[in-house]
Amino acid sequence: MAIPLSIQWINGQLIILDQQKLPHETEYIALNTIEDVYDAIVTLKVRGAPAIGITAAYGLALAVQRHDTETLEVFHHYVKKDAVYLGSSRPTAVNLVWALGRLQQSIGSAQTVAAAKAQILAEAKRIHEEDEKACRTIGGHALDLLEGRSRVMTICNAGSIATAKYGTALAPFHLGKELGREFEVYACETRPVFQGARLTVWELQQAGVDVTLITDSMAAHTIGAKGIEAIIVGADRIAANGDTANKIGTLNLAILAAAYNIPFYVAAPVSTFDLQIPDGKNIPIEERSAEEITHSAGQPIAPNGTKVFNPVFDVTPAQYITAIITEKGIIHPDYERNIIDVFTTVSGKGEKS
Ligand SMILES: CSC[C@@H](O)[C@@H](O)C(=O)COP(=O)(O)O
């Protein structure tokens, strides 16, 4: 039994777990070019907000190696161009542009192109390491909040394979396993591309955590029938007022939690907050292809030419969120004020660091 990892930097190579092949095949692939990295993010070979940020960071570190002879000024220009390209791979998870921004900032003081290249790689590794630590800390805070509660529902995959390790929403289950605390996890299948069924169930089984799969439409019934005591989800972007974008279907669960009077927790590192965005209305929501809905396992399940709406994230208004669990601590309602407090404590400037 082990917690699976999705991203590794081994001997100068970026290796990822191909999440499109799960659960049937556990295949690790090398991403060698910026185009490989872009494609892996777009096609969900690697997915989950923190994992996208880490992969893109390594992708930029790989990409800049090919800019050999330019002056520092020209080099900066190419770094920016590469970052814009990688940053356009997916719109909703803010960790992507956050990580790329951090890498660009990291070369401000470099005196040579070689030094700048080394600094970009070092910063990518730092982001990777920091995320693992952040997720473990989130797991600890979540365990405190879940004291006395063991039947927990989740959606999508906000697990180890969506981050450096441990995950966000799944961190308490992994950490709980390490500490001898058992949970019964109910995983929503998460249509249309089944991150819950394919990824969360696989990941928790690998780690020896008790997990039960339900379809998304069974959530309301299951909360009552199985005595679900809490819901915990990840996040792709959290606005300054606490409104949270996460996988489509998250809002349904938040409303159900309110109806059943059980806590609804969001777990996310500070890299998932976007303080430039005042509220959820301003979060860009990715729409993906119609085939994700009209087809299943390559076979049509709807008439040819069916009109489709396929938003892959929704926004849960802050009022439904019992607490937001970060590595800097647990943020309670009155989010507008309490989020700023956390960020002020983090850097002293209201900026995340
Ligand atoms: C720790 S990952 C948190 C979220 O990114 C996760 O729940 C989610 O919505 C991922 O969506 P995906 O489309 O699979 O990238």
Side-chain angles (χ1 to χ4, degrees):
M1 296 289 164
I3 303 173
L5 301 178
S6 70
I7 307 162
Q8 293 171 83
W9 182 261
I10 304 173
N11 299 330
Q13 266 212 313
L14 175 57
I15 311 288
I16 62 150
L17 172 62
D18 184 345
Q19 297 189 34
Q20 277 294 21
K21 298 234 168 87
L22 289 173
H24 309 296
E25 286 171 53
T26 310
E27 189 183 329
Y28 292 87
I29 54 172
L31 305 180
N32 298 310
T33 65
I34 187 169
E35 289 79 16
D36 287 350
V37 173
Y38 180 91
D39 175 76
I41 295 173
V42 169
T43 59
L44 310 182
K45 290 187 178 77
V46 59
R47 33 64 51 203
I52 292 171
I54 297 162
T55 307
Y58 282 128
L60 189 62
L62 281 174
V64 299
Q65 296 307 323
R66 72 195 199 285
H67 306 310
D68 255 341
T69 53
E70 296 87 4
T71 63
L72 251 185
E73 199 188 351
V74 176
F75 181 76
H76 278 278
H77 165 78
Y78 281 123
V79 171
K80 196 169 170 189
K81 213 169 144 209
D82 289 340
V84 167
Y85 171 65
L86 285 169
S88 67
S89 53
R90 292 192 73 191
T92 304
V94 75
N95 306 61
L96 174 63
V97 286
W98 168 83
L100 294 167
R102 224 178 106 163
L103 259 56
Q104 289 174 85
Q105 271 177 14
S106 76
I107 53 171
S109 61
Q111 297 298 312
T112 64
V113 169
K117 285 180 182 177
Q119 272 169 235
I120 286 184
L121 178 58
E123 193 68 9
K125 288 180 179 171
R126 250 193 304 277
I127 288 173
H128 194 180
E129 285 161 17
E130 282 173 15
D131 190 62
E132 177 175 336
K133 285 198 193 105
C135 289
R136 199 170 193 284
T137 307
I138 286 170
H141 292 318
L143 281 178
D144 290 343
L145 281 176
L146 292 170
E147 191 60 52
R149 296 170 197 264
S150 60
R151 287 183 299 278
V152 184
M153 186 174 284
T154 190
I155 188 166
C156 194
N157 172 270
S160 180
I161 60 172
T163 63
K165 193 177 174 185
Y166 293 103
T168 52
L170 302 191
F173 313 134
H174 289 305
L175 199 59
K177 195 78 200 165
E178 285 180 9
L179 303 173
R181 196 159 141 199
E182 299 290 340
F183 286 93
E184 287 171 49
V185 181
Y186 285 79
C188 296
E189 63 177 353
T190 320
R191 263 191 69 80
V193 297
F194 300 103
Q195 289 96 330
R198 293 188 304 108
L199 308 179
T200 290
V201 171
W202 176 82
E203 175 180 323
L204 293 180
Q205 285 175 350
Q206 296 297 306
V209 176
D210 181 330
V211 57
T212 302
L213 175 65
I214 59 167
T215 70
D216 301 331
S217 52
M218 294 171 189
H221 174 78
T222 305
I223 293 171
K226 295 293 182 184
I228 299 298
E229 295 163 303
I231 295 174
I232 186 164
V233 301
D236 286 80
R237 193 183 296 228
I238 302 173
N241 72 343
D243 290 353
T244 294
N246 193 51
K247 181 54 54 186
I248 194 76
T250 300
L251 174 58
N252 301 28
L253 295 188
I255 294 168
L256 289 177
Y260 277 95
N261 197 25
I262 57 172
F264 179 84
Y265 299 123
V266 170
V270 295
S271 54
T272 302
F273 286 74
D274 183 355
L275 299 190
Q276 310 301 316
I277 288 196
D279 58 48
K281 287 195 292 295
N282 295 285
I283 299 178
I285 299 294
E286 179 180 8
E287 287 185 34
R288 292 182 68 93
S289 74
E291 284 69 38
E292 287 186 352
I293 295 186
T294 57
H295 287 63
S296 177
Q299 297 301 313
I301 53 168
N304 266 344
T306 296
K307 243 173 32 171
V308 161
F309 177 46
N310 184 18
V312 298
F313 298 97
D314 57 27
V315 175
T316 298
Q319 75 200 64
Y320 289 110
I321 301 171
T322 310
I324 303 176
I325 308 164
T326 78
E327 72 274 33
K328 303 294 173 193
I330 298 165
I331 309 179
H332 296 280
D334 196 354
Y335 290 117
E336 221 139 24
R337 208 186 60 195
N338 293 338
I339 287 172
I340 285 292
D341 278 358
V342 164
F343 277 78
T344 312
T345 316
V346 170
S347 71
K349 291 193 226 117
E351 299 282 328
K352 61 191 178 190
S353 63

